[in-house]
Amino acid sequence: MEGERRASQARSSGLPAGGADGDSPGGSAPFPGSSGSSALLQAEVLDLEEDEDDLEVFSKDASLMDMNSFSPMMPTSPLSMINQIKFEDEPDLKDLFITVDEPESHVTTIETFITYRIITKTSRGEFDSSEFEVRRRYQDFLWLKGKLEEAHPTLIIPELSSHKKQGPGLLSRMGQTVRAVASSMRGVKNRPEEFMEMNNFIELFSQKINLIDKISQRIYKEEREYFDEMKEYGPIHILWSASEEDLVDTLKDVASCIDRCCKATEKRMSGLSEALLPVVHEYVLYSEMLMGVMKRRDQIQAELDSKVEALTYKKTDTDLLPEEIGKLEDKMECANNALKADWERWKQNMQNDIKLAFTDMAEENIHYYEQCLATWESFLTSQTNLHLEETSEDKP
């Protein structure tokens, strides 16, 4: 299946974020048979107006709404509603498969919402059955993500959030940034060097991947405009040939070449929208999620630092502090170890994903230009041969 991915990556494709789904899943786990693991999915539809950098997330699937509601810059991918997760990071974990697909629209007198089919297949003994099938709403995915982050605050859990155009104003955003920086500086005094390096990497990675995302979207937009313009030239040359008796064959051959180049361009655009753009944008979301992971790690350290400081300066009742500090030290150690282990896995997957996406795109571009070049070379060769034949016939 083309949509197979590692569980560690949990491709964010296919689950609309936000929208009309406002219910709460309650206290019981919404994913029977998932054993704490799930495919967290979402579909982000980008609006690439010149003065708009924010993401716009719609709450309905392309198959369930008018296509004009989506940005013309970002077509839907065949993978947009299918995501099979394979747990392959460890050799002994190749026996758990989770598929999220088949979105369904539900309309009630109160709301309209989407549900998704979740199939879990496994041969592990701790499960009650070898296969489970349920349907869940967006809020159920949010619930699961929240529970996973609560239980494992420093594990890298895929992003699942809503980004809206109408956000806070400039002054409000500046205030939030200042408060966040002040809180960070006040909360964590001695972040270990390895986590300082990790944080610096995340900040630099976020800048670069966001830039790549914007450039990729711009390339796709320009490619779409080029395609829309070029596909008009074929019919124009056909009409032209009707009024030029001496150039009929030549003009029709030009129209045929343009048509073949249009098909090649359309195929290349499809590869760009289905292979490169989703991967790049996924890691834009990962960069935001990684910042959240670092923030949760720092919060644990800040709490530990405050307890140690209170004990050192006897700012409060110190009878219970040693026990609390011991628990926090254990929590901090577990959080650090989990983040370090997950970090290396994530970096390796990220490097492989981005390298593969750009390599595939480069090969697709090479094939595209070779195909277009061969098309026009063939046309020029045939025209040259025709001209030589006509010249030889004119000779006495």
Side-chain angles (χ1 to χ4, degrees):
M1 189 175 187
E2 191 178 2
E4 292 185 356
R5 308 289 169 90
R6 290 186 175 88
S8 58
Q9 297 169 292
R11 291 280 185 222
S12 51
S13 59
L15 180 62
D21 191 351
D23 64 334
S24 173
S28 59
F31 297 92
S34 63
S35 186
S37 300
S38 80
L40 301 177
L41 311 175
Q42 69 182 27
E44 289 76 24
V45 183
L46 305 185
D47 186 354
L48 297 174
E49 298 175 0
E50 292 290 342
D51 57 348
E52 182 60 69
D53 292 334
D54 294 333
L55 306 182
E56 178 173 312
V57 183
F58 294 85
S59 61
K60 292 186 178 180
D61 168 46
S63 63
L64 304 172
M65 66 183 296
D66 184 77
M67 283 299 293
N68 292 330
S69 299
F70 283 84
S71 165
M73 315 309 176
M74 185 70 173
T76 56
S77 163
L79 302 181
S80 62
M81 281 298 153
I82 298 178
N83 189 9
Q84 179 167 341
I85 307 303
K86 296 182 67 177
F87 289 72
E88 294 180 335
D89 286 337
E90 298 295 337
D92 58 343
L93 296 183
K94 294 183 179 181
D95 55 0
L96 181 60
F97 301 85
I98 299 175
T99 304
V100 179
D101 58 12
E102 292 191 7
E104 286 185 4
S105 178
H106 301 266
V107 181
T108 69
T109 56
I110 302 177
E111 60 181 348
T112 299
F113 59 92
I114 310 294
T115 64
Y116 299 83
R117 183 180 70 167
I118 306 170
I119 299 177
T120 301
K121 296 182 180 181
T122 183
S123 59
R124 296 185 183 181
E126 61 265 31
F127 288 84
D128 297 332
S129 177
S130 61
E131 183 173 341
F132 302 86
E133 180 176 329
V134 295
R135 298 199 69 86
R136 290 293 180 259
R137 299 176 60 165
Y138 171 76
Q139 289 296 329
D140 296 327
F141 289 84
L142 279 184
W143 178 91
L144 177 61
K145 181 174 185 288
K147 288 296 182 181
L148 291 174
E149 289 181 345
E150 180 181 335
H152 309 285
T154 55
L155 286 185
I156 301 175
I157 300 170
E159 177 79 308
L160 188 66
S161 61
S162 176
H163 300 259
K164 298 184 178 180
K165 282 186 174 181
Q166 301 301 326
L170 174 61
L171 293 178
S172 176
R173 292 198 300 269
M174 289 176 61
Q176 292 173 2
T177 301
V178 171
R179 287 193 296 271
V181 172
S183 175
S184 176
M185 295 297 292
R186 180 177 64 251
V188 180
K189 297 179 179 179
N190 299 303
R191 181 190 286 161
E193 182 64 26
E194 57 187 325
F195 295 108
M196 287 294 297
E197 294 177 358
M198 193 180 296
N199 190 71
N200 293 338
F201 179 93
I202 293 171
E203 291 179 354
L204 183 59
F205 174 79
S206 177
Q207 295 173 8
K208 290 185 176 181
I209 200 66
N210 274 278
L211 179 59
I212 292 173
D213 184 49
K214 290 181 180 180
I215 292 174
S216 300
Q217 297 292 343
R218 185 62 56 199
I219 290 174
Y220 182 84
K221 176 185 176 182
E222 294 175 354
E223 193 79 5
R224 166 61 66 180
E225 293 171 350
Y226 168 72
F227 171 75
D228 290 340
E229 183 177 354
M230 182 170 61
K231 69 181 180 182
E232 297 178 358
Y233 290 141
I236 288 175
H237 282 76
I238 294 295
L239 291 175
W240 186 8
S241 68
S243 60
E244 296 285 349
E245 183 177 349
D246 295 337
L247 298 175
V248 171
D249 292 337
T250 299
L251 291 173
K252 286 185 176 180
D253 286 345
V254 171
S256 177
C257 290
I258 293 174
D259 181 63
R260 289 198 293 271
C261 289
C262 278
K263 291 179 180 178
T265 302
E266 189 172 26
K267 182 180 179 182
R268 184 171 69 151
M269 289 169 53
S270 176
L272 181 63
S273 66
E274 295 174 10
L276 181 62
L277 297 185
V279 171
V280 172
H281 187 63
E282 174 187 357
Y283 280 100
V284 170
L285 299 178
Y286 261 119
S287 68
E288 298 172 4
M289 176 270 303
L290 287 169
M291 293 178 183
V293 170
M294 288 300 298
K295 181 179 179 180
R296 290 193 292 273
R297 185 230 158 258
D298 289 349
Q299 287 173 343
I300 298 174
Q301 183 177 341
E303 184 179 3
L304 174 59
D305 291 345
S306 67
K307 297 291 185 182
V308 172
E309 183 179 0
L311 180 62
T312 301
Y313 295 100
K314 298 181 179 180
K315 293 182 178 181
T316 184
D317 185 4
T318 59
D319 292 341
L320 299 178
L321 281 179
E323 182 179 354
E324 293 177 3
I325 290 174
K327 291 180 179 179
L328 283 172
E329 287 176 340
D330 292 341
K331 184 177 181 181
M332 187 78 266
E333 183 179 3
C334 290
N336 287 342
N337 291 338
L339 177 54
K340 286 188 288 187
D342 218 20
W343 173 256
E344 293 303 322
R345 174 201 57 78
W346 178 84
K347 279 186 66 177
Q348 186 62 51
N349 287 337
M350 176 271 293
Q351 292 168 357
N352 292 340
D353 286 345
I354 293 180
K355 179 180 178 180
L356 180 62
F358 277 98
T359 300
D360 289 347
M361 200 67 245
E363 292 177 352
E364 183 71 24
N365 287 341
I366 292 172
H367 178 71
Y368 164 78
Y369 287 115
E370 288 178 344
Q371 187 176 356
C372 290
L373 181 61
T375 296
W376 290 108
E377 284 182 341
S378 176
F379 167 76
L380 292 175
T381 299
S382 65
Q383 291 298 308
T384 301
N385 292 337
L386 179 62
H387 177 70
L388 291 175
E389 291 176 2
E390 293 176 349
T391 302
S392 62
E393 289 177 358
D394 291 340
K395 290 182 179 181

